[in-house]
Amino acid sequence: MEILTLGNPILRQKSEPVTEVTPELEKTFEEMFELMIETNGVGLAAPQVGILQRFFVCMADDDVKRVFVNPQIIETSSELGEYEEGCLSIPKLYEKIVRPVEVTVQALNEKGKPFTLKADGLLARIIQHEYDHLDGLLYIDRGDPEFKAKAEETMRRREERRLQKEKAKAAKAAKIAAKKAGK
């Protein structure tokens, strides 16, 4: 399991509802938690790992692992707050984003049981950020258009460099293999 980055078209697609929470899906939740923690994230949505289904995992500052399957934000506060956001799919780029400071969400948990949660602070922000992923939105869509353009260009250049390195590595491996075959 790996995290897709900006430029991958899956990140811009709308996810489909989950029809059933299965043991396989529960295993996916655990793998996502492991990847999220390993990469120092606080939330990870299914599309970020190439799964076009409506679920995400998160762990806010209270260290409680939470799973949201088919979430629906049913209420938001009128009070807004600004916070510097980042995203595992857009590494090392941060932007101040304005969002409601409180949300109420209904979802299914990791066992498929329904729940309603009223959240504020960091948890409310994470829920909104990950919920956006399920609709093909990224935090850069909610901020300064100039920052969005810079982020897209930065990610494009990073991908170009990654592909060049990969190509050079493959060429070197082919050269070594050719030398070995010639002996």
Side-chain angles (χ1 to χ4, degrees):
M1 182 177 281
E2 66 181 48
I3 297 171
L4 305 181
T5 56
L6 180 63
N8 188 306
I10 289 174
L11 293 174
R12 293 308 197 162
Q13 295 178 38
K14 193 171 173 89
S15 298
E16 296 295 321
V18 172
T19 54
E20 180 184 8
V21 176
T22 62
E24 292 80 22
L25 192 56
E26 290 178 41
K27 186 174 184 279
T28 299
F29 301 150
E30 281 309 311
E31 289 174 17
M32 286 175 67
F33 274 119
E34 287 173 23
L35 183 57
M36 180 191 79
I37 291 165
E38 179 184 303
T39 54
N40 296 315
V42 292
L44 187 61
Q48 292 180 274
V49 293
I51 302 169
L52 281 172
Q53 290 192 296
R54 296 188 75 77
F55 65 88
F56 62 84
V57 301
C58 71
M59 192 164 63
D61 41 11
D62 59 3
D63 288 337
V64 175
K65 288 182 174 180
R66 292 182 173 89
V67 175
F68 294 79
V69 178
N70 296 335
Q72 290 185 299
I73 293 177
I74 58 171
E75 190 178 344
T76 59
S77 64
S78 57
E79 183 185 348
L80 302 175
E82 186 178 71
Y83 187 84
E84 190 171 73
E85 289 188 30
C87 182
L88 295 174
S89 291
I90 311 173
K92 300 177 183 158
L93 295 174
Y94 304 93
E95 170 78 286
K96 287 186 178 171
I97 303 296
V98 176
R99 296 188 188 266
V101 296
E102 288 183 358
V103 296
T104 303
V105 62
Q106 290 179 333
L108 303 177
N109 69 11
E110 67 279 2
K111 297 293 183 189
K113 302 289 182 224
F115 70 94
T116 301
L117 175 70
K118 185 172 186 161
D120 62 6
L122 181 60
L123 180 57
R125 184 159 296 270
I126 295 167
I127 289 168
Q128 293 171 82
H129 178 108
E130 301 308 329
Y131 186 88
D132 277 352
H133 277 294
L134 304 182
D135 290 327
L137 296 171
L138 301 171
Y139 80 97
I140 60 173
D141 300 325
R142 297 196 177 275
D144 177 17
E146 270 186 48
F147 176 79
K148 178 180 177 178
K150 284 180 187 173
E152 289 171 336
E153 178 60 21
T154 297
M155 293 302 291
R156 187 190 61 70
R157 283 196 319 270
R158 284 181 188 171
E159 180 63 9
E160 245 175 44
R161 282 193 303 272
R162 187 190 68 76
L163 291 173
Q164 285 173 347
K165 283 181 184 177
E166 214 172 80
K167 191 175 178 181
K169 191 175 177 181
K172 186 175 181 180
K175 193 175 179 179
I176 291 170
K179 274 187 179 179
K180 285 182 180 176
K183 287 185 179 178

